[in-house]
Amino acid sequence: MSNKEQDMDNLRRRIAALPPEKRALFERQLQQKGLKLDKATICKRQNLSELPLSFAQQRLWFLHQLEPDTTAYNIAFSWRFTGNLDIGLLQSCLNTIIQRHEILRTSFFSANGQPSQVINSELSLHLPIIDLRSLSDLNRQIKVDKLTKQEARYPFNLTEAPLLRVKLLQITDNENILLLTLHHIIADGWSRGVILRELTALYNGSTLPDLPIQYVDFAVYQQEWLQGKELTAQVDYWKQQLNNLSILELPTDNPRKPVQTFRSATESVVISKEILDGFKNLSRQQGTTLFMSALAAFKILLHRYTSEDDIAIGSPIANRNWEEVEPLIGFFVNTLVLRTDVSGNPTVLELLQRIKDVAAVAFKHQDLPFAKLVEEIQPQRSLSHNPLFGVMFQVQNEAYQLQNAVNPELAIPDLSLEQMWSDSGSTKFDMTWHLVERNEGLLAVVEYSTDLFNRDTIARMLGHFQVLLKGIIDNPKQRLSELPILTETERQQLLLEWNNTYTEYPLEQGIHQLFEKQVEKTPDNIAVEFKSEKL
């Protein structure tokens, strides 16, 4: 370690030992002088008359003003409790979480044309209970599906807190399903794990540690920190990276409508553990993550579908790079636009290296909020599709999804907990691919716009993706054009069934005799046509 590096390391240690308020002030002073010690500490706000929104919240607020009845930004979670559930205790735990996290008591208003947030000091939630125990199994399942979709597809009014809804469905004496719906402006996918972890801890009677900050403290910090040199460096990279970017146009079943309706459906498949393990081995061999390798396969699929060489997709990133925000509920998730040049018919291994290089640099510039990126780049806007990209892609581990919420330390005695997949019925993109690593394999869930795609098309696409993954594992040195994509059923249909043109005809007669027979059957039909002449 050089003397300069050693001095910086000592300085970091000294600053880390300071109280939070002094540490944050000192770090900001260093930043103003052009010095940077990673990211500054986020401290509690100080007597602000108006509470600002984060950049991501600002974008959702403005979108909500344009279309207040949309449910595209509803987040629906559901969990199944099996065992003796204390419903009164469950409601009490939910209210404790609401009091603990200010964001769950927040509403949003316009102040002089700009959004501002107001935190309600006291707010309690009543847990509605719907008893389905008397229904038959079939009718009960139909009712559960209907209620789950209704909850997910009911809009929020941002001026009325809380921006979350809960409902408990009583399935049997020992089985209950909790439906939880939040507006994206107050939560993200990571928040699900926070809620579940705190819910199980409180239900077990544990005491939760005080939160170091609240979400609004992050919003204040972000507005102060992301400016000047820091903002310029982030913007300059993304402007260069996304220069002359055009949105990928997938072949659709239906023409794109002038205005998105956000209507969606989901299709899913479980890809075998054998393929998942093979892909993880390939990732280890090539020094990539499972995300990077799966992204390469997905971009090959898009390339084969569109014949485009310049492929950009969106991918969510947790954006919780500060220790203070890890235990918070809130809208932290950011979106990265990952653009890859797939030209030249490279091998899979060559494409993997391109993906790795692009992702590594993009992750270093992940602090620019997507809302701020759109504002700075100012792409051509359209009500028919999302700016910059139309396809979203993410890979998660199921344990990561739960954020270790259901682990031995936090398990509830005599009560098992199962996370359920919820379909909100609304999508912001042409399609979103969720890959979830599970013990039994890789769960692939595609949420797609029903305005653009039919169910059979998405099911066929999932089949092609599985074949592609297997082909990549078998020979990653193949070039993109050589990789298999057709399922066995499709190969059978294309190569055999559609080429089977054999038909029975009388071998003892010549063609002229067969022609004469046809003339007798249909004497008035046209036999030959050339330009304006008909015979």
Side-chain angles (χ1 to χ4, degrees), residues 263-283:
R263 287 190 292 262
S264 76
T266 59
E267 187 69 18
S268 63
V269 69
V270 177
I271 299 170
S272 71
K273 192 173 189 306
E274 179 185 3
I275 291 180
L276 172 60
D277 290 342
F279 229 71
K280 290 168 75 172
N281 288 334
L282 176 64
S283 301

Side-chain angles (χ1 to χ4, degrees), residues 30 34 69 126 212 247 254 280 296 321 331 389 391 403 428 514:
L30 286 175
D69 292 330
H126 171 66
I247 294 181
N254 310 304
K280 290 168 75 172
N321 300 321
F331 183 14
F389 65 90
V391 177
Q403 294 297 314
K428 301 175 283 295
L514 296 175

